[in-house]
Amino acid sequence: MTEKFHIGDHVAWNSEAGHVSGRIIGIHTENFTYKGYTHHASESDPQYEIKSDRTSHIAVHKGSALRKIDG
C-alpha cells in the first residue's frame, strides 16, 4: 500500500532533472486538469501537489513516486 502524505510533508522524488525535493501544498482526491493534462486521482490513490524547495515549480505526483524525508 502506498504511504499517505499530508500537507506540509517534506518529500523527494526522481525527475528527468535528477532528485528533487519539496513540500506538499495540496492533495487531490478526484480527477483534475493541471497544465492541460487530466490527472487521475481518488480517495484511495490521491495525487499530491508539491512546491519544489529550489524553485517555485509546482509538480503533481502520485504517492508511489514520493518518499518522505526529514526537515
Side-chain angles (χ1 to χ4, degrees), residues 25-40:
I25 60 170
I27 301 171
H28 298 271
T29 56
E30 296 179 351
N31 293 348
F32 64 102
T33 301
Y34 183 72
K35 294 188 177 180
Y37 295 96
T38 298
H39 294 267
H40 299 282

Side-chain angles (χ1 to χ4, degrees), residues 8-61:
D9 284 352
H10 197 214
V11 296
W13 66 98
N14 292 327
S15 78
E16 59 277 357
H19 297 284
V20 182
S21 63
R23 294 224 177 252
I24 294 176
I25 60 170
I27 301 171
H28 298 271
T29 56
E30 296 179 351
N31 293 348
F32 64 102
T33 301
Y34 183 72
K35 294 188 177 180
Y37 295 96
T38 298
H39 294 267
H40 299 282
S42 65
E43 284 284 339
S44 63
D45 194 17
Q47 291 241 11
Y48 298 93
E49 198 169 330
I50 310 143
K51 183 174 182 183
S52 170
D53 286 338
R54 295 189 181 169
T55 68
S56 60
H57 179 78
I58 305 295
V60 177
H61 293 290

Side-chain angles (χ1 to χ4, degrees), residues 58-69:
I58 305 295
V60 177
H61 293 290
K62 288 198 172 206
S64 59
L66 303 173
R67 64 182 172 81
K68 195 169 184 178
I69 58 175

